[in-house]
Amino acid sequence: LIASRSGLEPPRQLTRITEVGGWTLYKPSKRYLQPADLEDLTIRLAKDREGPALGCWVQDSDWGYVAFALPEGVLGRVFVNPDAAEDYAEGQAALSLAQDETDEAEKRLAVWSQFTPRQVSSETIKALVKRHTSFAEEPLFAIFEALGITVPQDRLWVQP
């Protein structure tokens, strides 16, 4: 799932889901992307729209993360269940993308959130990430919701 400010047509690798509050939500046109590919598309949307973009990746509902970007590139990544990510090749790849980051990811996302419909605090983000749920996507979608970007879950699973 990728969200960016509304604007131009997306790259062909993305399918538009819906538009909410001046943001457009997309999903990959093909069934599967590697985390690095998702981040590349997130950065591309940020550059094309000259503004913020947010990419979300979840695997088997066990772990996931959001990568938040500006046209200059990814500013940070916030993980849900990073220990579970280590059990997957894709999880190890995503963690390696974030290897030079510190515990400051939630603070960076809070600062980045000034570009979204609702600014959130790092404490709110930490609380959402720490939620104990059966599905890793639940806290990630809660982050989108806190930012004022509603994810219509009924539209996520419909094939183009």
Side-chain angles (χ1 to χ4, degrees):
L1 176 68
I2 300 176
S4 72
R5 289 231 178 111
S6 299
L8 309 169
E9 286 297 310
R12 63 180 167 69
Q13 299 96 325
L14 295 175
T15 301
R16 183 182 174 278
I17 299 172
T18 192
E19 194 168 317
V20 289
W23 284 69
T24 304
L25 298 173
Y26 304 95
K27 63 183 176 181
S29 298
K30 61 182 194 176
R31 203 94 169 106
Y32 186 79
L33 287 177
Q34 290 290 329
D37 297 330
L38 177 90
E39 289 193 18
D40 288 345
L41 286 169
T42 302
I43 293 166
R44 184 168 169 192
L45 280 174
K47 286 180 181 178
D48 288 352
R49 282 149 182 78
E50 298 179 354
L54 182 68
C56 177
W57 207 94
V58 177
Q59 188 166 20
D60 294 341
S61 294
D62 290 337
W63 72 276
Y65 78 107
V66 292
F68 44 101
L70 289 175
E72 298 78 26
V74 171
L75 299 180
R77 299 155 184 91
V78 172
F79 284 83
V80 171
N81 301 333
D83 292 341
E86 294 174 1
D87 295 336
Y88 296 87
E90 296 88 345
Q92 293 171 14
L95 290 167
S96 73
L97 292 170
Q99 70 181 352
D100 59 340
E101 296 175 13
T102 64
D103 299 338
E104 303 294 311
E106 289 91 355
K107 288 181 183 174
R108 280 187 263 140
L109 179 54
V111 171
W112 178 91
S113 74
Q114 69 184 307
F115 301 109
T116 65
R118 284 195 301 255
Q119 190 164 4
V120 296
S121 69
S122 60
E123 292 78 19
T124 298
I125 295 164
K126 286 179 186 178
L128 292 172
V129 167
K130 300 293 181 207
R131 267 191 195 171
H132 293 286
T133 66
S134 299
F135 305 102
E137 53 269 35
E138 289 175 356
L140 294 171
F141 291 160
I143 289 172
F144 275 76
E145 190 73 34
L147 295 168
I149 306 168
T150 302
V151 177
Q153 295 181 39
D154 60 325
R155 305 267 327 263
L156 285 179
W157 317 120
V158 177
Q159 289 299 312

